[in-house]
Amino acid sequence: MNTKHVLYAGSFDPFHNGHLNIIEKTCRMIPGCLVTVLVCENIEKTHMFSCNYREAIIKKIIANSEFKSQILVDKFSENVGDYCAEKKIDTLIRGIRSSDDMLYEGKIIGEGFHHEFGKSHAEVEAISMVKDQSLLENTVLY
């Protein structure tokens, strides 16, 4: 049986319990899966922490997870679709916090995660998850 390889990409600046919750929830939802946490450089954002620092912090936090054997941490500065194609990943995990996030994620899914026609890209299956309600006490979800 092939292992399901899923991707959770983001800037993770900073990485927090909500991110960890989504990763661990994915491991529970898809038993035996391999989750790659991809730390991305977003040129449209000003980051608090360097990409290398964010990667190191995430690895340190993941080391304490009960699912640590199922989680990889990597970094990438190119298009996420190109990364998926290169690593043969067909499932993308996305956290949804608001209606704006829902619109943004729908646009990304519709574009198939590629920028230029003819470039390599991955056709991804999107799984949207909302963090545990206890982490969202003061948040309105749409």
Side-chain angles (χ1 to χ4, degrees):
M1 181 172 120
N2 290 336
T3 300
K4 183 72 167 174
H5 193 171
V6 300
L7 180 72
Y8 184 34
S11 57
F12 304 112
D13 190 30
F15 188 81
H16 53 73
N17 287 337
H19 295 130
L20 181 61
N21 178 263
I22 288 173
I23 294 164
E24 291 181 338
K25 188 180 285 187
T26 300
C27 291
R28 285 185 197 94
M29 275 180 46
I30 310 170
C33 71
L34 178 62
V35 178
T36 296
V37 179
L38 186 64
V39 181
C40 298
E41 280 298 329
N42 184 339
I43 60 173
E44 296 175 5
K45 288 184 179 180
T46 302
H47 297 287
M48 289 191 309
F49 303 109
S50 72
C51 188
N52 288 337
Y53 183 78
R54 287 178 275 145
E55 178 188 30
I57 291 297
I58 295 169
K59 284 181 177 179
K60 191 171 187 173
I61 292 168
I62 295 301
N64 296 314
S65 171
E66 67 181 287
F67 299 103
K68 63 186 172 194
S69 65
Q70 292 176 247
I71 304 167
L72 300 174
V73 181
D74 199 0
K75 62 182 182 244
F76 196 65
S77 61
E78 303 297 322
N79 181 279
V80 172
D82 294 338
Y83 184 90
C84 289
E86 179 184 318
K87 303 292 184 180
K88 305 210 181 329
I89 297 171
D90 66 355
T91 303
L92 189 64
I93 304 302
R94 303 296 293 170
I96 304 294
R97 299 166 295 198
S98 67
S99 60
D100 288 343
D101 281 355
M102 291 173 77
L103 292 171
Y104 175 75
E105 299 304 333
K107 180 179 179 222
I108 288 176
I109 293 164
E111 291 174 354
F113 283 91
H114 61 284
H115 292 294
E116 298 176 31
F117 180 76
K119 281 191 80 171
S120 62
H121 64 279
E123 296 304 322
V124 295
E125 168 188 341
I127 298 175
S128 298
M129 287 185 270
V130 175
K131 299 180 282 290
D132 283 348
Q133 294 298 313
S134 64
L135 300 172
L136 299 173
E137 290 176 7
N138 297 316
T139 303
V140 176
L141 297 174
Y142 299 89

